[in-house]
């Protein structure tokens, strides 16, 4: 029978900074690897603690890990995510560790929801790929030409991501960007919309622009620009935009 696991997550205080620094010496990084941590670690920890977004994880009364949220507006980056090293663990304890990790992830989701974040991102080494994909993480295409890091989008609800294909127009004239305003979402966005069944992205864009702006785009004048995957603003917390953008 597995021993009773008691996982406690508590907000860190500035008095714990030295304890955290000592813990990090031998801890394993689950988030942003060293080349992406530009700030002095003690300064970063202090700032996150001051924002009430740094947490300590205790397993059976021993410090087992830590994590923090860096606000990105309606989402947050999961950062400073460390766990105690597995170097000295026997194989049976590694199996238990995987179970503990899933319990921890559920707690991280709850903390993110309590903070009103709609989604999380995390930058991690490719070696963590299997674990983040087990959690339903979806790779973004934000980090270009980086072989030592992958960014994932993580849902804060216990539901898989649902892809929502869309098409958008990027129109710049005289250093001004064309935007449309959504009264429903109270937000500015690039003109465009959802791709209906049977449409390709260009056909959907032409239809949406005519519906939204009463303008007719000429297909031969459209140039494909880029493809972006990102959590959808103003939608349910497990909706992921897959957006194809064109210029005119």
């Amino acid at each position: 029978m597995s021993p009773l696991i008691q996982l406690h997550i508590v907000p860190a205080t500035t008095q714990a900074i030295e304890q955290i620094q000592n813990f990090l010496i031998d801890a394993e990084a689950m988030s942003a690897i060293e080349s992406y941590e530009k700030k002095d670690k003690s300064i970063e920890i202090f700032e996150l603690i001051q924002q009430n977004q740094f947490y300590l994880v205790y397993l059976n009364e021993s410090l087992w890990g830590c994590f923090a949220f860096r606000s990105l507006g309606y989402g947050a980056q999961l950062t400073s995510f460390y766990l105690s090293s597995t170097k000295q663990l026997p194989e049976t304890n590694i199996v238990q560790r995987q179970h503990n990790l899933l319990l921890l992830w559920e707690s991280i989701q709850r903390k993110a929801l309590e903070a009103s974040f709609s989604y999380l991102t995390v930058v991690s080494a490719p070696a963590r790929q299997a674990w983040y994909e087990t959690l339903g993480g979806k790779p973004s295409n934000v980090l270009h030409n980086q072989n030592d890091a992958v960014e994932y989008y993580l849902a804060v609800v216990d539901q898989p991501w649902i892809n929502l294909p869309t098409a958008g127009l990027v129109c710049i004239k005289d250093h001004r960007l064309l935007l449309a305003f959504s009264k429903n979402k109270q937000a500015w966005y690039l003109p465009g919309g959802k791709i209906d069944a049977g449409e390709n992205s260009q056909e959907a864009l032409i239809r949406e622009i005519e519906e939204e702006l009463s303008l007719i785009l000429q297909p031969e004048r459209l140039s494909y620009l880029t493809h972006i995957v990102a959590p959808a603003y103003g939608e349910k917390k497990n909706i992921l935009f897959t957006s194809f953008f064109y210029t005119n």
Side-chain angles (χ1 to χ4, degrees):
M1 181 180 293
S2 300
L4 180 63
I5 300 299
Q6 293 185 333
L7 199 65
H8 299 289
I9 298 179
V10 298
T13 64
T14 53
Q15 287 75 22
I17 290 179
E18 184 176 354
Q19 178 191 17
I20 295 169
Q21 289 177 316
N22 291 334
F23 172 77
L24 295 185
I25 294 173
D26 295 315
E28 292 186 9
M30 300 295 289
S31 67
I33 56 180
E34 205 61 36
S35 60
Y36 289 91
E37 296 173 348
K38 298 177 182 179
K39 285 185 179 180
D40 177 86
K41 186 48 103 173
S42 60
I43 295 176
E44 181 183 20
I45 292 171
F46 178 80
E47 290 177 351
L48 291 168
I49 289 176
Q50 289 291 91
Q51 297 164 17
N52 298 316
Q53 296 293 2
F54 199 104
Y55 298 90
L56 302 180
V57 182
Y58 289 90
L59 184 65
N60 294 339
E61 299 186 359
S62 297
L63 182 59
W64 183 57
C66 61
F67 67 90
F69 298 133
R70 184 179 291 114
S71 177
L72 302 173
Y74 69 102
Q77 182 184 45
L78 177 61
T79 185
S80 297
F81 186 12
Y82 290 87
L83 294 175
S84 60
S85 174
T86 60
K87 293 178 182 178
Q88 306 301 322
L89 286 180
E91 187 173 344
T92 53
N93 285 6
I94 291 177
V95 173
Q96 181 64 57
R97 176 187 169 91
Q98 296 303 315
H99 174 70
N100 296 345
L101 270 170
L102 291 177
L103 293 178
L104 173 57
W105 172 241
E106 291 172 0
S107 298
I108 291 174
Q109 285 180 307
R110 285 195 296 271
K111 290 295 182 184
L113 283 171
E114 289 172 7
S116 298
F117 295 129
S118 295
Y119 69 93
L120 295 175
T121 70
V122 64
V123 177
S124 186
R128 305 295 181 195
Q129 177 180 353
W131 190 67
Y132 283 113
E133 289 185 353
T134 297
L135 301 179
K138 296 290 185 181
S140 77
N141 58 349
V142 175
L143 299 180
H144 297 288
N145 302 319
Q146 300 291 349
N147 296 321
D148 60 346
V150 181
E151 182 183 51
Y152 295 94
Y153 292 119
L154 300 166
V156 296
V157 291
D158 192 21
Q159 299 174 21
W161 285 113
I162 297 175
N163 289 320
L164 181 64
T166 65
L169 179 67
V170 178
C171 182
I172 301 175
K173 185 176 181 179
D174 298 330
H175 305 289
R176 293 181 295 177
L177 176 65
L178 176 65
L179 295 174
F181 186 76
S182 170
K183 291 183 179 180
N184 291 334
K185 299 178 182 178
Q186 290 295 296
W188 293 94
Y189 64 97
L190 293 171
K194 299 175 184 177
I195 300 174
D196 290 340
E199 288 183 319
N200 61 38
S201 57
Q202 189 179 89
E203 292 168 342
L205 178 62
I206 292 172
R207 175 183 54 76
E208 286 284 350
I209 294 301
E210 184 175 5
E211 291 175 0
E212 291 182 357
L213 305 178
S214 299
L215 298 175
I216 299 177
L217 298 176
Q218 301 301 319
E220 64 273 12
R221 296 187 60 182
L222 290 175
S223 299
Y224 175 74
L225 181 62
T226 191
H227 167 231
I228 293 176
V229 176
Y233 178 78
E235 301 282 349
K236 293 181 180 179
K237 298 186 190 317
N238 65 323
I239 303 297
L240 202 65
F241 273 164
T242 302
S243 301
F244 301 87
F245 290 99
Y246 292 83
T247 59
N248 185 34

